[in-house]
Amino acid sequence: MTGVPITNTPQRATVDDARLVSSTLARAFGDDPMMRWFFPDGPSREAGLNRYFTTLFTRQYAHHGVCERTGAAAAFWVPPEGQAKAVPDAETVQELQDILGDRAPLFRDTVMAAAEHAPQEPHWYLAVIGADPAAQGQGHGAALLRSGLAQADAAGLPVYLESSKPSNVPVYEHFGFVVRGEMELPGGGPVLWAMRREPRTPDSA
């Protein structure tokens, strides 16, 4: 008996999808250099990441971003009109501090350092994207990337992201992103690549 394929067709993610979205992203980011730095204890990392993504999704991106998922991946995008509102409020910051424990100051410094590289003009921001490693190679991440990029292209706007995983840089380059800067995170953290993609018209796609 063969397993039923997990759909890789993007659909809008709502707060009701929090459990699926958070567990998927926790598995996806288990080997991410920045997340391993924030959650250095291996045995508790997945549980910590699950709480981390649940907080970000339910308190922030689900309300002020464009969140999409497939059966094994999720992505959080923030269009220009949502960026001012997507800044965590005091209660969200407190939740994240509780989750991160003594790594919270590193998280705060990282957010501040990354913000210095963000474009000043209107743009779409790809805050989070990840696919369950068990579904690798099935097109889940690519489908979500194409969906968000199409929305940014329709608005005629560039897209910005940061990545701390070297193997992801050429993947993003395949989709038209260009490295605009490298930053070594405060406190001896990993390198973060700032990447930007210019909008494409149907003729240039």
Side-chain angles (χ1 to χ4, degrees), residues 83-176:
Q83 286 169 12
K85 298 177 181 177
V87 176
D89 57 25
E91 190 173 341
T92 303
V93 169
Q94 185 59 57
E95 282 192 27
L96 291 172
Q97 289 178 339
D98 292 343
I99 294 167
L100 289 157
D102 61 3
R103 311 298 280 183
L106 297 176
F107 174 79
R108 181 196 61 231
D109 293 346
T110 296
V111 170
M112 293 175 63
E116 296 177 1
H117 290 259
Q120 298 303 306
E121 75 273 24
H123 64 281
W124 273 56
Y125 174 53
L126 177 51
V128 175
I129 186 168
D132 189 328
Q136 188 173 6
Q138 297 178 16
H140 291 269
L144 289 175
L145 260 178
R146 291 191 185 96
S147 178
L149 293 176
Q151 294 174 72
D153 286 344
L157 293 173
V159 180
Y160 175 76
L161 63 80
E162 302 108 0
S163 177
S164 68
K165 193 172 183 180
S167 61
N168 282 346
V169 172
V171 175
Y172 292 130
E173 289 176 334
H174 174 77
F175 283 89

Side-chain angles (χ1 to χ4, degrees), residues 35-48:
M35 292 304 166
R36 291 174 68 91
W37 186 53
F38 288 153
F39 297 93
D41 181 55
S44 65
R45 182 176 299 127
E46 186 169 330

Side-chain angles (χ1 to χ4, degrees), residues 21 25 28-29 35 52-53 56 61 66 68 74-78 125-130 144 161-162 172:
V21 166
L25 291 174
F29 281 85
M35 292 304 166
Y52 172 83
F53 285 117
L56 289 181
Y61 294 115
V66 176
E68 295 187 324
F76 305 161
W77 306 77
V78 188
Y125 174 53
L126 177 51
V128 175
I129 186 168
L144 289 175
L161 63 80
E162 302 108 0
Y172 292 130

